[in-house]
């Protein structure tokens, strides 16, 4: 069960090319801010199509092709729009939890031939330092009890389940690769066990 504490701080409309979402802002106990994109009624007890997406400035906002983050976020928004109901929990844990500047340093190590895991480790970080307790707390605050989770990451499924999120289905969430992220995707599969 999640011990994280979040405060629902703001709600507003967010019109997008996919649908008009409700954008719900949260703060956690450390003061860090996170958001959820919500479409339709999600607190009625029925399983909700959902994604837990970790912030990726380079992929989500700057259209980097080094990763698949931006396309995954867009695909999740489109799938939820198509279904007319769902939640995207957007966590502020850049670079697999190491922060933006360290992520850029890891990119520089990858430019020398290291993969994403080796780059994080040579900088003294875990391969993946992300945590999902805030996501579990945000789902609870939104009244979401059961999710159909869009992910390829079995560790995310396991972590959320351990935190009390009832994952009733894993929804495959693959996107088109690019010449720039082939090695990155192969590393996710080989070293993180992602299911593609």
């Amino acid at each position: 069960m999640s011990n994280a504490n979040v405060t629902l701080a703001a709600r507003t409309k967010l019109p997008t090319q996919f649908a008009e979402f409700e954008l719900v802002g949260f703060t956690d106990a450390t003061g860090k801010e996170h958001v959820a994109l919500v479409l339709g009624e999600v607190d009625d007890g029925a399983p909700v199509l959902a994604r837990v997406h970790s912030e990726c400035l380079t992929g989500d906002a700057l259209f980097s092709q080094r990763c698949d983050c931006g396309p995954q976020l867009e695909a999740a928004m489109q799938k939820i729009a198509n279904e007319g109901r769902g939640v995207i929990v957007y966590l502020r844990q850049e670079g697999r939890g190491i922060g933006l500047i360290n992520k850029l340093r890891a990119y520089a190590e990858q430019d020398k031939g290291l993969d994403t895991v080796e780059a994080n480790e040579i900088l003294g970080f875990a391969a993946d330092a992300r945590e999902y307790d805030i996501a579990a707390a945000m789902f609870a605050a939104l009244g979401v009890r059961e999710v159909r989770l869009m992910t390829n990451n079995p560790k995310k499924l396991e972590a959320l389940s351990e935190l009390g999120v009832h994952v009733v289905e894993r929804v495959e969430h693959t996107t088109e690769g690019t010449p720039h992220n082939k090695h990155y995707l192969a590393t996710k599969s080989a070293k993180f066990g992602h299911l593609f």
Side-chain angles (χ1 to χ4, degrees):
M1 218 29 133
S2 173
N3 293 327
N5 187 21
V6 296
T7 301
L8 197 156
R11 295 180 103 114
T12 189
K13 294 177 183 177
L14 183 72
T16 73
Q17 68 189 59
F18 309 103
E20 183 172 282
F21 290 86
E22 180 182 26
L23 188 62
V24 185
F26 291 88
T27 56
D28 66 25
T30 68
K32 193 175 272 192
E33 300 167 336
H34 311 272
V35 296
L37 287 84
V38 179
L39 186 65
E41 294 297 320
V42 297
D43 60 355
D44 60 2
V48 176
L49 183 62
R51 173 152 178 83
V52 174
H53 189 91
S54 295
E55 175 182 42
C56 177
L57 178 71
T58 53
D60 297 341
L62 301 178
F63 313 107
S64 170
Q65 293 188 357
R66 294 183 79 131
C67 63
D68 59 344
C69 302
Q72 281 193 355
L73 179 59
E74 289 183 25
M77 293 174 77
Q78 185 64 67
K79 285 178 183 176
I80 288 172
N82 291 347
E83 194 151 306
R85 179 175 181 268
V87 175
I88 298 171
V89 168
Y90 192 92
L91 299 176
R92 306 292 301 282
Q93 49 184 4
E94 182 80 48
R96 294 190 180 276
I98 66 174
L100 179 59
I101 298 303
N102 286 320
K103 175 182 168 179
L104 300 182
R105 291 178 179 136
Y107 275 177
E109 294 299 328
Q110 290 170 50
D111 292 341
K112 299 173 189 173
L114 298 182
D115 67 31
T116 184
V117 171
E118 295 163 342
N120 278 18
E121 290 174 344
I122 204 166
L123 292 172
F125 298 105
D128 189 344
R130 293 177 295 178
E131 297 180 354
Y132 299 102
D133 54 336
I134 299 299
M138 289 168 67
F139 279 132
L142 293 168
V144 173
R145 303 290 172 243
E146 297 185 335
V147 298
R148 296 168 43 236
L149 193 68
M150 292 180 273
T151 188
N152 303 313
N153 184 349
K155 290 180 182 167
K156 187 184 291 185
L157 288 170
E158 183 181 313
L160 287 169
S161 294
E162 288 174 1
L163 290 164
V165 178
H166 186 203
V167 181
V168 299
E169 178 188 0
R170 179 187 80 86
V171 177
E172 186 176 344
H173 197 61
T174 55
T175 58
E176 188 87 19
T178 74
H180 303 284
N181 70 13
K182 258 198 266 188
H183 187 59
Y184 169 79
L185 295 175
T187 301
K188 282 172 77 170
S189 177
K191 294 192 174 181
F192 291 116
H194 284 216
L195 308 167
F196 292 111

